[in-house]
Amino acid sequence: MNRKVSLNMEKMKIYSQEDVLNLTLGTKGTPERDDYETKVDDYLVGLAIRRAREAQNLTQEQLGERIGVQRSRICSIERGTNLRLSTIRRIFSALGLEVKLDIANIQSIPLC
C-alpha cells in the first residue's frame, strides 16, 4: 500500500452498525427506527419459518394445506409481510415446533 492511500485510511472514521442506524434512521424509539426494526424482526421470523419448513422437506403449498391457507400466503409470511401471531402459532404447530413467549423480558409499554 502506498503512503498516500495509507494516510487517507488513517483519516477515515469507522462506524458501528448502531452508529449507522442512528445516523440514517434515528435513535431507538423514533418512528423510523422502530419501523425498521419491526421489519427486520418480521423478516427473521419469516426466515425461521422457511428454514423449519424446508428442514421438513415441505413445499409452501403443503404447509399452506396444513394450516388452511394458500401457497401465496405462506410465501408472504416467509418474506416477513402480513405476520399475525395467530398464523405464526398455527404454522409452528403444523411444523411440530414449540413457541414460547418470554414474558419476563417484555418491557412495559404504555397502552395510551
Side-chain angles (χ1 to χ4, degrees):
M1 194 175 326
N2 68 35
R3 182 170 162 71
K4 187 174 183 178
V5 171
S6 179
L7 289 174
N8 284 337
M9 288 182 69
E10 289 175 11
K11 294 178 186 177
M12 294 175 65
K13 181 173 180 177
I14 297 176
Y15 293 93
S16 69
Q17 180 180 1
E18 187 71 19
D19 291 338
V20 172
L21 290 173
N22 288 339
L23 290 169
T24 58
L25 299 171
T27 59
K28 289 185 180 190
T30 59
E32 295 83 7
R33 178 72 174 268
D34 288 348
D35 183 53
Y36 169 80
E37 291 187 356
T38 297
K39 287 177 182 177
V40 169
D41 291 344
D42 290 350
Y43 171 78
L44 293 174
V45 168
L47 183 60
I49 289 169
R50 177 181 174 193
R51 287 182 176 166
R53 174 185 59 79
E54 290 176 341
Q56 295 184 25
N57 295 314
L58 292 173
T59 65
Q60 290 178 334
E61 187 169 347
Q62 290 168 325
L63 179 56
E65 288 171 1
R66 286 188 182 187
I67 67 165
V69 300
Q70 294 185 5
R71 183 204 63 78
S72 60
R73 180 75 177 108
I74 298 299
C75 182
S76 174
I77 290 165
E78 290 181 356
R79 284 193 319 265
T81 58
N82 299 321
L83 293 179
R84 292 187 179 152
L85 186 55
S86 60
T87 305
I88 294 169
R89 285 182 176 162
R90 289 185 6 232
I91 290 172
F92 277 51
S93 177
L95 294 172
L97 303 172
E98 185 177 346
V99 179
K100 289 186 178 183
L101 184 60
D102 187 359
I103 303 289
N105 288 320
I106 295 178
Q107 297 177 356
S108 62
I109 301 170
L111 297 177
C112 300

